Each structure stands twice: as structure tokens, then as C-alpha cells.
Amino acid sequence: MKSITRIAAALALTLGLTFGAAAAQGASISGEVKKIDESAGKITLKHGPAKSLGMDEPMTMVYRVKDPALLKQVKVGDKVTFEAEEAAAGYTVTRMEKAK
């Protein structure tokens, strides 16, 4: 009986890790840089659906950036993938890189 419990626990852990990794990969949003405002720490991104933020439709939005250095890595017109989170002050880009 103990071995069945151990097997079930191992299976549950494996499935949890697998689905967690899939959810993390799904959090990336594809977009295009439309405007950069370094002095305000903001970026305007045109992007597809952002399921991780509850956005089912493509749109163009202004985001704050968690790290202002992110704005120096891109220019208007660049295709990017990014992750963002919702906060009291609005949406904030937490990670961004040029699309490959």
C-alpha cells in the first residue's frame, strides 16, 4: 500500500511540474514595440492575445517596465516577446526580449 501512495505522489508531482512549465511558457506574449518613453519608464506594445493577463483580443497598450534597462534593449519596430503582470498602478512588463 505504501508503494502505491509513493507512486501516486510521484505522478502528481511530475504532472504538476509539467503543467507548471506549460503555464510559464504560455505566459509569454508576442508583440511589436510602437513607442518608448524612457523618461516615464513606459513602453507601448501592440500585441496578440495575452491570456496570462486575461486579455483575449489583440490590442495596443502602454505598459510600465519593472527595469528601465529593458527600454534600452529595444527600439520602435522591434518584434518582442514579453511577460507582464497586473498591479494597482496598471500593467508592468517584467521580462522582455527581441523575438527570434
Side-chain angles (χ1 to χ4, degrees):
M1 186 63 120
K2 288 183 182 180
S3 63
I4 292 173
T5 304
R6 286 185 196 152
I7 291 170
L11 180 59
L13 179 60
T14 301
L15 288 174
L17 292 174
T18 301
F19 287 121
Q25 288 175 350
S28 287
I29 306 161
S30 297
E32 179 183 350
V33 178
K34 291 302 203 177
K35 182 179 177 184
I36 298 170
D37 185 346
E38 285 189 54
S39 63
K42 296 180 180 180
I43 187 167
T44 303
L45 296 165
K46 178 180 178 181
H47 59 80
K51 302 287 185 184
S52 62
L53 300 174
M55 300 174 194
D56 295 329
E57 300 294 325
M59 61 186 71
T60 302
M61 287 183 54
V62 177
Y63 290 88
R64 295 183 185 281
V65 291
K66 190 171 190 174
D67 179 4
L70 292 173
L71 299 177
K72 296 188 182 300
Q73 299 173 5
V74 294
K75 64 183 184 311
V76 172
D78 282 350
K79 305 285 188 199
V80 297
T81 57
F82 67 99
E83 293 176 10
E85 62 188 19
E86 187 174 5
Y91 294 96
T92 302
V93 173
T94 57
R95 186 193 65 78
M96 181 171 51
E97 60 185 34
K98 287 186 182 181
K100 296 174 183 165

